[in-house]
mmCIF file of all heavy atoms in Angstrom:
data_model
loop_
_atom_site.group_PDB
_atom_site.id
_atom_site.type_symbol
_atom_site.label_atom_id
_atom_site.label_comp_id
_atom_site.label_asym_id
_atom_site.label_seq_id
_atom_site.Cartn_x
_atom_site.Cartn_y
_atom_site.Cartn_z
ATOM 1 N N LEU N 1 -83.568 -252.093 -41.821
ATOM 2 C CA LEU N 1 -83.267 -253.230 -42.679
ATOM 3 C C LEU N 1 -81.773 -253.473 -42.660
ATOM 4 O O LEU N 1 -80.982 -252.536 -42.772
ATOM 5 C CB LEU N 1 -83.750 -252.960 -44.106
ATOM 6 C CG LEU N 1 -83.467 -254.052 -45.155
ATOM 7 C CD1 LEU N 1 -84.616 -254.157 -46.147
ATOM 8 C CD2 LEU N 1 -82.158 -253.759 -45.916
ATOM 9 N N LEU N 2 -81.387 -254.746 -42.535
ATOM 10 C CA LEU N 2 -79.983 -255.143 -42.503
ATOM 11 C C LEU N 2 -79.737 -256.210 -43.558
ATOM 12 O O LEU N 2 -80.554 -257.119 -43.730
ATOM 13 C CB LEU N 2 -79.604 -255.700 -41.131
ATOM 14 C CG LEU N 2 -79.813 -254.804 -39.908
ATOM 15 C CD1 LEU N 2 -79.610 -255.603 -38.631
ATOM 16 C CD2 LEU N 2 -78.856 -253.619 -39.946
ATOM 17 N N SER N 3 -78.612 -256.115 -44.242
ATOM 18 C CA SER N 3 -78.220 -257.181 -45.152
ATOM 19 C C SER N 3 -77.628 -258.330 -44.347
ATOM 20 O O SER N 3 -77.333 -258.189 -43.152
ATOM 21 C CB SER N 3 -77.195 -256.664 -46.161
ATOM 22 O OG SER N 3 -75.957 -256.396 -45.502
ATOM 23 N N ARG N 4 -77.426 -259.457 -44.996
ATOM 24 C CA ARG N 4 -76.804 -260.587 -44.298
ATOM 25 C C ARG N 4 -75.399 -260.228 -43.827
ATOM 26 O O ARG N 4 -74.965 -260.666 -42.764
ATOM 27 C CB ARG N 4 -76.796 -261.802 -45.235
ATOM 28 C CG ARG N 4 -76.106 -263.058 -44.696
ATOM 29 C CD ARG N 4 -76.524 -263.451 -43.303
ATOM 30 N NE ARG N 4 -77.964 -263.512 -43.117
ATOM 31 C CZ ARG N 4 -78.544 -263.793 -41.957
ATOM 32 N NH1 ARG N 4 -77.805 -263.979 -40.870
ATOM 33 N NH2 ARG N 4 -79.855 -263.830 -41.844
ATOM 34 N N THR N 5 -74.692 -259.406 -44.601
ATOM 35 C CA THR N 5 -73.358 -258.954 -44.176
ATOM 36 C C THR N 5 -73.432 -258.186 -42.871
ATOM 37 O O THR N 5 -72.616 -258.387 -41.962
ATOM 38 C CB THR N 5 -72.729 -258.066 -45.269
ATOM 39 O OG1 THR N 5 -72.582 -258.821 -46.470
ATOM 40 C CG2 THR N 5 -71.372 -257.539 -44.832
ATOM 41 N N ALA N 6 -74.415 -257.292 -42.753
ATOM 42 C CA ALA N 6 -74.570 -256.506 -41.533
ATOM 43 C C ALA N 6 -74.961 -257.391 -40.358
ATOM 44 O O ALA N 6 -74.442 -257.227 -39.242
ATOM 45 C CB ALA N 6 -75.615 -255.415 -41.740
ATOM 46 N N VAL N 7 -75.871 -258.338 -40.581
ATOM 47 C CA VAL N 7 -76.294 -259.232 -39.500
ATOM 48 C C VAL N 7 -75.117 -260.063 -39.008
ATOM 49 O O VAL N 7 -74.899 -260.205 -37.802
ATOM 50 C CB VAL N 7 -77.442 -260.145 -39.967
ATOM 51 C CG1 VAL N 7 -77.763 -261.195 -38.901
ATOM 52 C CG2 VAL N 7 -78.682 -259.318 -40.278
ATOM 53 N N ASN N 8 -74.336 -260.606 -39.931
ATOM 54 C CA ASN N 8 -73.176 -261.401 -39.524
ATOM 55 C C ASN N 8 -72.172 -260.555 -38.751
ATOM 56 O O ASN N 8 -71.538 -261.032 -37.799
ATOM 57 C CB ASN N 8 -72.502 -262.019 -40.749
ATOM 58 C CG ASN N 8 -73.349 -263.099 -41.396
ATOM 59 O OD1 ASN N 8 -74.246 -263.660 -40.760
ATOM 60 N ND2 ASN N 8 -73.081 -263.398 -42.651
ATOM 61 N N GLY N 9 -72.019 -259.300 -39.162
ATOM 62 C CA GLY N 9 -71.126 -258.409 -38.432
ATOM 63 C C GLY N 9 -71.592 -258.177 -37.006
ATOM 64 O O GLY N 9 -70.785 -258.157 -36.063
ATOM 65 N N LEU N 10 -72.901 -258.016 -36.807
ATOM 66 C CA LEU N 10 -73.446 -257.823 -35.461
ATOM 67 C C LEU N 10 -73.315 -259.087 -34.620
ATOM 68 O O LEU N 10 -72.992 -259.026 -33.428
ATOM 69 C CB LEU N 10 -74.920 -257.411 -35.554
ATOM 70 C CG LEU N 10 -75.196 -256.023 -36.135
ATOM 71 C CD1 LEU N 10 -76.696 -255.826 -36.335
ATOM 72 C CD2 LEU N 10 -74.634 -254.925 -35.239
ATOM 73 N N VAL N 11 -73.561 -260.240 -35.233
ATOM 74 C CA VAL N 11 -73.477 -261.503 -34.499
ATOM 75 C C VAL N 11 -72.051 -261.753 -34.007
ATOM 76 O O VAL N 11 -71.843 -262.320 -32.930
ATOM 77 C CB VAL N 11 -73.956 -262.668 -35.394
ATOM 78 C CG1 VAL N 11 -73.636 -264.019 -34.756
ATOM 79 C CG2 VAL N 11 -75.458 -262.553 -35.646
ATOM 80 N N ASP N 12 -71.069 -261.315 -34.775
ATOM 81 C CA ASP N 12 -69.673 -261.546 -34.408
ATOM 82 C C ASP N 12 -69.168 -260.613 -33.314
ATOM 83 O O ASP N 12 -68.080 -260.834 -32.772
ATOM 84 C CB ASP N 12 -68.771 -261.394 -35.643
ATOM 85 C CG ASP N 12 -68.963 -262.535 -36.635
ATOM 86 O OD1 ASP N 12 -69.439 -263.609 -36.211
ATOM 87 O OD2 ASP N 12 -68.643 -262.347 -37.825
ATOM 88 N N LEU N 13 -69.924 -259.578 -32.996
ATOM 89 C CA LEU N 13 -69.463 -258.633 -31.974
ATOM 90 C C LEU N 13 -69.648 -259.223 -30.576
ATOM 91 O O LEU N 13 -70.696 -259.782 -30.268
ATOM 92 C CB LEU N 13 -70.242 -257.319 -32.069
ATOM 93 C CG LEU N 13 -69.983 -256.465 -33.312
ATOM 94 C CD1 LEU N 13 -70.891 -255.248 -33.311
ATOM 95 C CD2 LEU N 13 -68.527 -256.028 -33.373
ATOM 96 N N PRO N 14 -68.653 -259.101 -29.696
ATOM 97 C CA PRO N 14 -68.748 -259.671 -28.336
ATOM 98 C C PRO N 14 -69.470 -258.745 -27.371
ATOM 99 O O PRO N 14 -68.933 -258.361 -26.326
ATOM 100 C CB PRO N 14 -67.280 -259.857 -27.945
ATOM 101 C CG PRO N 14 -66.582 -258.734 -28.646
ATOM 102 C CD PRO N 14 -67.322 -258.527 -29.945
ATOM 103 N N GLU N 15 -70.703 -258.366 -27.707
ATOM 104 C CA GLU N 15 -71.448 -257.421 -26.881
ATOM 105 C C GLU N 15 -72.335 -258.159 -25.886
ATOM 106 O O GLU N 15 -73.110 -259.035 -26.264
ATOM 107 C CB GLU N 15 -72.320 -256.518 -27.757
ATOM 108 C CG GLU N 15 -71.540 -255.520 -28.587
ATOM 109 C CD GLU N 15 -70.958 -254.389 -27.746
ATOM 110 O OE1 GLU N 15 -71.603 -253.986 -26.769
ATOM 111 O OE2 GLU N 15 -69.865 -253.932 -28.092
ATOM 112 N N HIS N 16 -72.234 -257.793 -24.605
ATOM 113 C CA HIS N 16 -73.103 -258.357 -23.585
ATOM 114 C C HIS N 16 -74.328 -257.485 -23.342
ATOM 115 O O HIS N 16 -75.371 -257.969 -22.919
ATOM 116 C CB HIS N 16 -72.337 -258.544 -22.271
ATOM 117 C CG HIS N 16 -72.044 -259.972 -21.952
ATOM 118 N ND1 HIS N 16 -71.104 -260.695 -22.636
ATOM 119 C CD2 HIS N 16 -72.591 -260.825 -21.055
ATOM 120 C CE1 HIS N 16 -71.059 -261.934 -22.155
ATOM 121 N NE2 HIS N 16 -71.957 -262.035 -21.203
ATOM 122 N N LEU N 17 -74.187 -256.187 -23.576
ATOM 123 C CA LEU N 17 -75.294 -255.255 -23.399
ATOM 124 C C LEU N 17 -75.468 -254.476 -24.698
ATOM 125 O O LEU N 17 -75.122 -253.298 -24.785
ATOM 126 C CB LEU N 17 -75.014 -254.308 -22.217
ATOM 127 C CG LEU N 17 -74.869 -254.972 -20.843
ATOM 128 C CD1 LEU N 17 -74.380 -253.961 -19.811
ATOM 129 C CD2 LEU N 17 -76.196 -255.568 -20.393
ATOM 130 N N PRO N 18 -76.013 -255.114 -25.727
ATOM 131 C CA PRO N 18 -76.078 -254.461 -27.040
ATOM 132 C C PRO N 18 -77.096 -253.328 -27.083
ATOM 133 O O PRO N 18 -78.165 -253.413 -26.495
ATOM 134 C CB PRO N 18 -76.495 -255.604 -27.972
ATOM 135 C CG PRO N 18 -77.277 -256.529 -27.094
ATOM 136 C CD PRO N 18 -76.623 -256.456 -25.741
ATOM 137 N N VAL N 19 -76.742 -252.270 -27.783
ATOM 138 C CA VAL N 19 -77.664 -251.182 -28.112
ATOM 139 C C VAL N 19 -77.551 -251.010 -29.622
ATOM 140 O O VAL N 19 -76.633 -250.369 -30.130
ATOM 141 C CB VAL N 19 -77.302 -249.874 -27.384
ATOM 142 C CG1 VAL N 19 -78.303 -248.778 -27.738
ATOM 143 C CG2 VAL N 19 -77.279 -250.084 -25.877
ATOM 144 N N TYR N 20 -78.480 -251.611 -30.356
ATOM 145 C CA TYR N 20 -78.309 -251.748 -31.795
ATOM 146 C C TYR N 20 -78.404 -250.433 -32.549
ATOM 147 O O TYR N 20 -77.835 -250.298 -33.634
ATOM 148 C CB TYR N 20 -79.318 -252.756 -32.338
ATOM 149 C CG TYR N 20 -78.939 -254.167 -31.979
ATOM 150 C CD1 TYR N 20 -79.623 -254.871 -30.991
ATOM 151 C CD2 TYR N 20 -77.863 -254.791 -32.597
ATOM 152 C CE1 TYR N 20 -79.249 -256.156 -30.636
ATOM 153 C CE2 TYR N 20 -77.485 -256.077 -32.255
ATOM 154 C CZ TYR N 20 -78.177 -256.755 -31.276
ATOM 155 O OH TYR N 20 -77.795 -258.026 -30.926
ATOM 156 N N ARG N 21 -79.097 -249.459 -32.006
ATOM 157 C CA ARG N 21 -79.166 -248.173 -32.701
ATOM 158 C C ARG N 21 -77.801 -247.481 -32.710
ATOM 159 O O ARG N 21 -77.610 -246.520 -33.471
ATOM 160 C CB ARG N 21 -80.238 -247.291 -32.076
ATOM 161 C CG ARG N 21 -80.022 -246.891 -30.644
ATOM 162 C CD ARG N 21 -81.269 -246.238 -30.077
ATOM 163 N NE ARG N 21 -82.376 -247.185 -29.981
ATOM 164 C CZ ARG N 21 -83.620 -246.830 -29.654
ATOM 165 N NH1 ARG N 21 -83.907 -245.573 -29.410
ATOM 166 N NH2 ARG N 21 -84.570 -247.741 -29.564
ATOM 167 N N LEU N 22 -76.866 -247.961 -31.891
ATOM 168 C CA LEU N 22 -75.496 -247.445 -31.905
ATOM 169 C C LEU N 22 -74.532 -248.442 -32.538
ATOM 170 O O LEU N 22 -73.570 -248.047 -33.206
ATOM 171 C CB LEU N 22 -75.041 -247.124 -30.478
ATOM 172 C CG LEU N 22 -75.920 -246.164 -29.682
ATOM 173 C CD1 LEU N 22 -75.306 -245.886 -28.325
ATOM 174 C CD2 LEU N 22 -76.137 -244.864 -30.435
ATOM 175 N N LEU N 23 -74.767 -249.740 -32.331
ATOM 176 C CA LEU N 23 -73.888 -250.756 -32.896
ATOM 177 C C LEU N 23 -73.948 -250.770 -34.421
ATOM 178 O O LEU N 23 -72.922 -250.929 -35.086
ATOM 179 C CB LEU N 23 -74.279 -252.138 -32.369
ATOM 180 C CG LEU N 23 -73.738 -252.550 -31.001
ATOM 181 C CD1 LEU N 23 -74.280 -253.916 -30.608
ATOM 182 C CD2 LEU N 23 -72.217 -252.566 -30.998
ATOM 183 N N VAL N 24 -75.137 -250.629 -34.973
ATOM 184 C CA VAL N 24 -75.279 -250.705 -36.429
ATOM 185 C C VAL N 24 -74.499 -249.583 -37.125
ATOM 186 O O VAL N 24 -73.731 -249.848 -38.064
ATOM 187 C CB VAL N 24 -76.772 -250.692 -36.825
ATOM 188 C CG1 VAL N 24 -76.926 -250.572 -38.331
ATOM 189 C CG2 VAL N 24 -77.457 -251.964 -36.325
ATOM 190 N N PRO N 25 -74.631 -248.302 -36.711
ATOM 191 C CA PRO N 25 -73.800 -247.269 -37.350
ATOM 192 C C PRO N 25 -72.309 -247.492 -37.127
ATOM 193 O O PRO N 25 -71.485 -247.130 -37.970
ATOM 194 C CB PRO N 25 -74.273 -245.968 -36.685
ATOM 195 C CG PRO N 25 -75.638 -246.271 -36.179
ATOM 196 C CD PRO N 25 -75.611 -247.707 -35.782
ATOM 197 N N TRP N 26 -71.954 -248.096 -35.975
ATOM 198 C CA TRP N 26 -70.540 -248.339 -35.664
ATOM 199 C C TRP N 26 -69.892 -249.257 -36.692
ATOM 200 O O TRP N 26 -68.685 -249.150 -36.961
ATOM 201 C CB TRP N 26 -70.423 -248.936 -34.265
ATOM 202 C CG TRP N 26 -69.012 -249.226 -33.841
ATOM 203 C CD1 TRP N 26 -68.143 -248.375 -33.211
ATOM 204 C CD2 TRP N 26 -68.297 -250.466 -34.023
ATOM 205 N NE1 TRP N 26 -66.941 -248.999 -32.989
ATOM 206 C CE2 TRP N 26 -67.007 -250.286 -33.487
ATOM 207 C CE3 TRP N 26 -68.623 -251.684 -34.591
ATOM 208 C CZ2 TRP N 26 -66.047 -251.293 -33.493
ATOM 209 C CZ3 TRP N 26 -67.667 -252.697 -34.603
ATOM 210 C CH2 TRP N 26 -66.396 -252.494 -34.060
ATOM 211 N N LEU N 27 -70.659 -250.160 -37.308
ATOM 212 C CA LEU N 27 -70.104 -251.076 -38.302
ATOM 213 C C LEU N 27 -69.529 -250.336 -39.500
ATOM 214 O O LEU N 27 -68.632 -250.840 -40.184
ATOM 215 C CB LEU N 27 -71.176 -252.059 -38.769
ATOM 216 C CG LEU N 27 -71.671 -253.089 -37.746
ATOM 217 C CD1 LEU N 27 -72.829 -253.882 -38.325
ATOM 218 C CD2 LEU N 27 -70.539 -254.011 -37.313
ATOM 219 N N GLY N 28 -70.064 -249.151 -39.788
ATOM 220 C CA GLY N 28 -69.544 -248.355 -40.895
ATOM 221 C C GLY N 28 -69.897 -248.877 -42.270
ATOM 222 O O GLY N 28 -69.215 -248.584 -43.255
ATOM 223 N N LEU N 29 -70.972 -249.633 -42.383
ATOM 224 C CA LEU N 29 -71.395 -250.184 -43.664
ATOM 225 C C LEU N 29 -72.195 -249.152 -44.463
ATOM 226 O O LEU N 29 -72.757 -248.220 -43.887
ATOM 227 C CB LEU N 29 -72.241 -251.443 -43.427
ATOM 228 C CG LEU N 29 -71.508 -252.622 -42.776
ATOM 229 C CD1 LEU N 29 -72.499 -253.708 -42.379
ATOM 230 C CD2 LEU N 29 -70.448 -253.180 -43.712
ATOM 231 N N PRO N 30 -72.265 -249.307 -45.783
ATOM 232 C CA PRO N 30 -73.079 -248.383 -46.598
ATOM 233 C C PRO N 30 -74.521 -248.377 -46.117
ATOM 234 O O PRO N 30 -75.148 -249.430 -45.965
ATOM 235 C CB PRO N 30 -72.967 -248.976 -48.011
ATOM 236 C CG PRO N 30 -71.694 -249.764 -48.000
ATOM 237 C CD PRO N 30 -71.560 -250.307 -46.608
ATOM 238 N N SER N 31 -75.042 -247.205 -45.843
ATOM 239 C CA SER N 31 -76.372 -247.106 -45.248
ATOM 240 C C SER N 31 -77.175 -245.978 -45.872
ATOM 241 O O SER N 31 -76.621 -245.051 -46.470
ATOM 242 C CB SER N 31 -76.272 -246.888 -43.733
ATOM 243 O OG SER N 31 -75.605 -245.671 -43.445
ATOM 244 N N GLY N 32 -78.481 -246.073 -45.718
ATOM 245 C CA GLY N 32 -79.388 -245.039 -46.181
ATOM 246 C C GLY N 32 -80.512 -244.858 -45.181
ATOM 247 O O GLY N 32 -80.553 -245.534 -44.139
ATOM 248 N N GLU N 33 -81.435 -243.976 -45.495
ATOM 249 C CA GLU N 33 -82.529 -243.669 -44.583
ATOM 250 C C GLU N 33 -83.846 -243.595 -45.337
ATOM 251 O O GLU N 33 -83.875 -243.180 -46.502
ATOM 252 C CB GLU N 33 -82.281 -242.340 -43.862
ATOM 253 C CG GLU N 33 -81.039 -242.315 -42.990
ATOM 254 C CD GLU N 33 -80.833 -240.959 -42.320
ATOM 255 O OE1 GLU N 33 -81.697 -240.066 -42.525
ATOM 256 O OE2 GLU N 33 -79.828 -240.801 -41.610
ATOM 257 N N VAL N 34 -84.892 -244.015 -44.674
ATOM 258 C CA VAL N 34 -86.250 -243.869 -45.175
ATOM 259 C C VAL N 34 -87.068 -243.187 -44.090
ATOM 260 O O VAL N 34 -87.130 -243.675 -42.965
ATOM 261 C CB VAL N 34 -86.879 -245.228 -45.541
ATOM 262 C CG1 VAL N 34 -88.355 -245.065 -45.845
ATOM 263 C CG2 VAL N 34 -86.159 -245.850 -46.732
ATOM 264 N N ALA N 35 -87.673 -242.056 -44.419
ATOM 265 C CA ALA N 35 -88.448 -241.293 -43.440
ATOM 266 C C ALA N 35 -89.886 -241.799 -43.398
ATOM 267 O O ALA N 35 -90.431 -242.257 -44.407
ATOM 268 C CB ALA N 35 -88.423 -239.815 -43.779
ATOM 269 N N TYR N 36 -90.477 -241.733 -42.223
ATOM 270 C CA TYR N 36 -91.873 -242.134 -42.071
ATOM 271 C C TYR N 36 -92.486 -241.375 -40.900
ATOM 272 O O TYR N 36 -91.766 -240.818 -40.055
ATOM 273 C CB TYR N 36 -91.992 -243.645 -41.847
ATOM 274 C CG TYR N 36 -91.416 -244.139 -40.533
ATOM 275 C CD1 TYR N 36 -92.213 -244.298 -39.405
ATOM 276 C CD2 TYR N 36 -90.065 -244.449 -40.420
ATOM 277 C CE1 TYR N 36 -91.695 -244.749 -38.205
ATOM 278 C CE2 TYR N 36 -89.536 -244.895 -39.226
ATOM 279 C CZ TYR N 36 -90.348 -245.048 -38.130
ATOM 280 O OH TYR N 36 -89.816 -245.491 -36.934
ATOM 281 N N VAL N 37 -93.793 -241.373 -40.855
ATOM 282 C CA VAL N 37 -94.528 -240.717 -39.775
ATOM 283 C C VAL N 37 -94.825 -241.753 -38.702
ATOM 284 O O VAL N 37 -95.427 -242.789 -38.982
ATOM 285 C CB VAL N 37 -95.838 -240.099 -40.291
ATOM 286 C CG1 VAL N 37 -96.635 -239.489 -39.138
ATOM 287 C CG2 VAL N 37 -95.543 -239.045 -41.352
ATOM 288 N N ARG N 38 -94.398 -241.486 -37.506
ATOM 289 C CA ARG N 38 -94.620 -242.412 -36.403
ATOM 290 C C ARG N 38 -96.088 -242.366 -35.989
ATOM 291 O O ARG N 38 -96.646 -241.294 -35.760
ATOM 292 C CB ARG N 38 -93.727 -242.050 -35.222
ATOM 293 C CG ARG N 38 -93.768 -243.060 -34.071
ATOM 294 C CD ARG N 38 -92.599 -242.793 -33.147
ATOM 295 N NE ARG N 38 -92.652 -243.547 -31.906
ATOM 296 C CZ ARG N 38 -92.237 -244.797 -31.772
ATOM 297 N NH1 ARG N 38 -91.745 -245.435 -32.824
ATOM 298 N NH2 ARG N 38 -92.286 -245.415 -30.615
ATOM 299 N N GLU N 39 -96.683 -243.540 -35.875
ATOM 300 C CA GLU N 39 -98.102 -243.630 -35.561
ATOM 301 C C GLU N 39 -98.320 -243.897 -34.072
ATOM 302 O O GLU N 39 -97.375 -244.183 -33.326
ATOM 303 C CB GLU N 39 -98.734 -244.756 -36.398
ATOM 304 C CG GLU N 39 -98.575 -244.556 -37.899
ATOM 305 C CD GLU N 39 -99.169 -245.703 -38.695
ATOM 306 O OE1 GLU N 39 -99.852 -246.563 -38.093
ATOM 307 O OE2 GLU N 39 -98.945 -245.755 -39.915
ATOM 308 N N LYS N 40 -99.564 -243.828 -33.660
ATOM 309 C CA LYS N 40 -99.895 -244.165 -32.281
ATOM 310 C C LYS N 40 -99.879 -245.675 -32.107
ATOM 311 O O LYS N 40 -100.092 -246.428 -33.060
ATOM 312 C CB LYS N 40 -101.279 -243.615 -31.917
ATOM 313 C CG LYS N 40 -101.348 -242.104 -31.839
ATOM 314 C CD LYS N 40 -102.723 -241.643 -31.372
ATOM 315 C CE LYS N 40 -102.787 -240.128 -31.242
ATOM 316 N NZ LYS N 40 -104.124 -239.663 -30.790
ATOM 317 N N ARG N 41 -99.616 -246.094 -30.884
ATOM 318 C CA ARG N 41 -99.656 -247.531 -30.593
ATOM 319 C C ARG N 41 -101.054 -248.055 -30.892
ATOM 320 O O ARG N 41 -102.048 -247.475 -30.454
ATOM 321 C CB ARG N 41 -99.280 -247.763 -29.126
ATOM 322 C CG ARG N 41 -99.530 -249.150 -28.619
ATOM 323 C CD ARG N 41 -99.045 -249.322 -27.196
ATOM 324 N NE ARG N 41 -97.709 -249.887 -27.174
ATOM 325 C CZ ARG N 41 -97.438 -251.176 -27.228
ATOM 326 N NH1 ARG N 41 -98.432 -252.042 -27.346
ATOM 327 N NH2 ARG N 41 -96.207 -251.627 -27.178
#
């Protein structure tokens, strides 16, 4: 989940080959975690 602030921050980045699982933590915004059990496809 991303707030509008986080989305705008990502949109402003000049990334040609984005990897969001790394870009999002790079923003350094307040973040939390929710654990879940991964299901089968």
